Structure formats: structure tokens, C-alpha cells
Amino acid sequence: MVPSSKLSLTRPRQKLIHLYHKPLLSHVDLLILFYTVISGVGGTLTAIDNLGQMGISLGYSPRSISTFVSLVSIWNYLGRVMAGLVSELLLKKYKMPRPLMLTIILLVACIGHLLVAFHTPGGLYVASVIIGFCFGAQWSVVFTTISEIFGLKYYSTLYNFGSVASPIGLYILNVTVTGHLYDKEARKQLAALGLVRKAGQALNCTGVHCFRLSFIIIAAVTLSGALVSIILVLRTRKFYKSDIYKKFQDETKVEEKELAFARH
């Protein structure tokens, strides 16, 4: 039989832990986040991975292509910092659910993808800034959201679970969509010139049509991720309206009392 003094310590802690933290993997919130990362991070990673080839296809100089890479790196860092800072301020001041920041980021990323699809002179510079910023911002918000909704007990597992969605999204959107459509357009251009591709010859595509359909699809997938993330916003709005930091502080205090009791 458990002593009543020990029960008084364990019950509050159990209540706090299960206040919102739900079972892993079976929780729909985790699946929503997983799909959001596949669509959002997968799309921005596809753009970053093809940045050099896009620059060549659209007629940019090697110096400009190097600038695109630099812009992505710089704004990737700024996205990580700014998204975390802004979402924290909005959460504290307006009780705005953090997943709503993720929704906004994905909608902004759609603009970057459409700038690639419907290219205008110099548009790739702006697209590099937007895509780099959104790529970094997503990681900052996603992992913070995971820690808040599911707690820190299984955070390392959840961190890796969230991370694995990135290569899955990259494979789907980069290899099966972008790569396939790029090669298809390159073959069309070869056929139009009356040329036949030799064995082992690399396919090269020139013009805005090389990546247009691919990035329209990527923008649509990213938009679907934004719409799905709204479900998470609605499911967690009550949680974020409460004092989530007080809950974590109370949980820590109860755990400290348990440790002190165990020592005696």
C-alpha cells in the first residue's frame, strides 16, 4: 500500500503531466505536425537544393547564383531567430497559438514558390530571401511546438520523428516531382531541336518552363500543409490561452518535492 503522504505528491504530478500531454504517435496532433513538416520543409528544401540549377535555367550568372546561396544561408539564420522571438512575444501578449505562426510561415513560403514558378526578372533574389527565411523559421517553430504540446519526457524521440519528415518531403517533392518534370521538359526541348540524347548525356533545360509546373505543385502542397496546420491551431487554442509556463513550473516544483521526499 502506498503511503498517503506519497500519494499526495504523485497525484498532482500525474494530473499536470496528463493535462495536455497525450500518448505519442497515436495522437492526431503529431500526425498533423508530421504532414506540415513534409509539405513545408520538403518544399523549401527542394527549392534550396535546386537553386543552382534554377539559376542556370533562368540565365543568371555564376556570381548571381552564389548570391542566391548566400541569401538563403543568411535568411535561414534570421528566420530561426525571428520566428522564435516573434512567436514568443505574440504568445505572451496575445495568447496566440504557436502553430498559427507555422501556418503564416507556410503561407509566406507559397509566395516564394510562386515567384519561382512565374519568374520575373530578378525574382529569384526575392524568392531566395523568402524561401531561406521560411526554411529556418519552420524549424524554430516546429520543435518549440512539439516541446510545448507533448512535453520534454520524450522530446529526443519526437525531435527525430519530426526531423525524419524533412527527407521524406524532400524525396517526394524533389526526386519524384521536380526531377521528373525537369527531365521531361528537357527531353521536349531536345526533341524540338531534332536532337537525340546520347547514352549518359546529362539533360539540360532552359527557360521558365523547366521548374514552373514543379513549383506550382510545391506551392499547392505547401498550401495544403498550411490549411492542415489550422486544425492544430483550433485543437490547441485553449491550451495556449492558459498559462502554459506556469504549468511547467508547477510540474517542476512537484518533481522537486518528490525527489526531496525520496531522499528521506
Side-chain angles (χ1 to χ4, degrees):
M1 184 174 179
V2 182
S4 59
S5 58
K6 191 169 183 179
L7 282 172
S8 64
L9 289 171
T10 56
R11 282 175 180 170
R13 185 171 186 269
Q14 290 171 353
K15 184 179 179 182
L16 283 166
I17 290 175
H18 297 292
L19 183 64
Y20 193 80
H21 301 165
K22 305 286 184 72
L24 303 182
L25 301 180
S26 62
H27 200 295
V28 67
D29 294 346
L30 189 59
L31 298 178
I32 291 172
L33 275 173
F34 189 74
Y35 177 75
T36 302
V37 175
I38 287 176
S39 59
V41 177
T44 50
L45 263 180
T46 298
I48 293 169
D49 189 57
N50 289 280
L51 202 56
Q53 191 60 50
M54 287 190 294
I56 294 171
S57 298
L58 296 171
Y60 286 92
S61 65
R63 184 175 180 179
S64 294
I65 294 172
S66 298
T67 303
F68 299 150
V69 175
S70 298
L71 285 172
V72 167
S73 300
I74 293 167
W75 285 92
N76 171 28
Y77 168 76
L78 292 175
R80 291 174 187 265
V81 174
M82 292 302 296
L85 177 63
V86 172
S87 64
E88 192 69 24
L89 291 174
L90 292 174
L91 174 60
K92 286 185 176 180
K93 191 170 183 179
Y94 301 106
K95 301 294 182 182
M96 188 188 91
R98 204 180 297 273
L100 183 57
M101 176 60 71
L102 184 59
T103 305
I104 295 169
I105 292 167
L106 292 179
L107 292 175
V108 174
C110 289
I111 298 173
H113 297 319
L114 291 175
L115 282 173
V116 176
F118 301 98
H119 179 260
T120 56
L124 208 52
Y125 287 97
V126 181
S128 299
V129 170
I130 293 174
I131 290 169
F133 181 87
C134 292
F135 175 71
Q138 286 176 84
W139 285 125
S140 177
V141 174
V142 164
F143 291 125
T144 306
T145 302
I146 287 175
S147 68
E148 290 171 345
I149 294 178
F150 300 101
L152 299 175
K153 186 175 182 180
Y154 301 104
Y155 183 72
S156 59
T157 302
L158 290 167
Y159 183 95
N160 290 308
F161 185 77
S163 298
V164 79
S166 171
I168 291 173
L170 180 63
Y171 177 79
I172 294 170
L173 296 175
N174 191 20
V175 178
T176 63
V177 176
T178 306
H180 173 72
L181 293 176
Y182 177 88
D183 290 346
K184 185 178 179 180
E185 184 63 31
R187 290 191 187 96
K188 281 184 181 179
Q189 292 185 3
L190 275 177
L193 294 172
L195 301 175
V196 179
R197 183 189 179 190
K198 298 178 182 178
Q201 181 183 2
L203 288 170
N204 293 309
C205 182
T206 305
V208 295
H209 295 285
C210 300
F211 291 95
R212 173 165 291 176
L213 182 57
S214 301
F215 276 85
I216 290 174
I217 294 171
I218 290 171
V221 171
T222 305
L223 179 61
S224 72
L227 295 176
V228 169
S229 69
I230 293 175
I231 300 173
L232 186 61
V233 174
L234 297 175
R235 288 175 59 87
T236 59
R237 66 186 186 280
K238 290 182 180 179
F239 171 69
Y240 280 103
K241 282 182 180 179
S242 63
D243 190 348
I244 62 173
Y245 297 110
K246 185 177 184 300
K247 291 183 177 67
F248 290 126
Q249 290 168 1
D250 290 344
E251 186 177 322
T252 303
K253 289 178 182 178
V254 171
E255 189 169 347
E256 288 174 353
K257 288 180 181 179
E258 278 191 347
L259 290 173
F261 179 79
R263 288 171 185 170
H264 295 293

